[in-house]
Amino acid sequence: MMRHLLTAALLPLLTAAHARSVTATVYDGWYHGRQTACGSTYRHWDVSAAHPWLPCGTPVRVSHRGRVLTVRVTDRCDCSGLDLSAGAAHRLGVPLDGIATVTIDHP
């Protein structure tokens, strides 16, 4: 009983530790229709992202200026943060030709 209460009390702290600010960039349209590192076909206006080390298929909650969107990792990138598809960037208000600081949270 005591261990369950302790775990319930620590869970919000552990979850918050996964949230961090990263630099997000936007995939170039040139990749549209090409195969991703995870084996799927990249669609420029779908909601997806590339990450340097999170496993393929991992859902990532991305926040930018009050907008929140869950994207799925479908590719790898050489970036230090996150590469967003144009569809994800548009929904989050990230400039399609620029760079933004976003907050990500993953399991």
Side-chain angles (χ1 to χ4, degrees):
M1 175 79 170
M2 181 64 144
R3 185 165 61 178
H4 177 68
L5 291 174
L6 183 60
T7 302
L10 290 177
L11 188 59
L13 297 175
L14 295 173
T15 304
H18 287 291
R20 62 187 179 110
S21 292
V22 299
T23 300
T25 55
V26 182
Y27 268 96
D28 190 282
W30 181 84
Y31 293 103
H32 179 77
R34 300 189 188 291
Q35 188 173 16
T36 67
C38 298
S40 62
T41 301
Y42 174 68
R43 303 278 182 232
H44 195 55
W45 290 105
D46 284 355
V47 174
S48 62
H51 192 273
W53 53 267
L54 283 175
C56 293
T58 300
V60 178
R61 198 164 97 184
V62 184
S63 306
H64 178 67
R65 294 187 178 174
R67 296 183 186 185
V68 180
L69 181 67
T70 299
V71 300
R72 192 162 300 280
V73 173
T74 60
D75 206 357
R76 295 281 166 249
C77 63
D78 292 332
C79 61
S80 60
L82 196 67
D83 270 350
L84 296 169
S85 65
H90 177 73
R91 286 171 180 80
L92 286 166
V94 172
L96 297 181
D97 61 348
I99 297 172
T101 301
V102 298
T103 302
I104 63 170
D105 186 13
H106 61 86

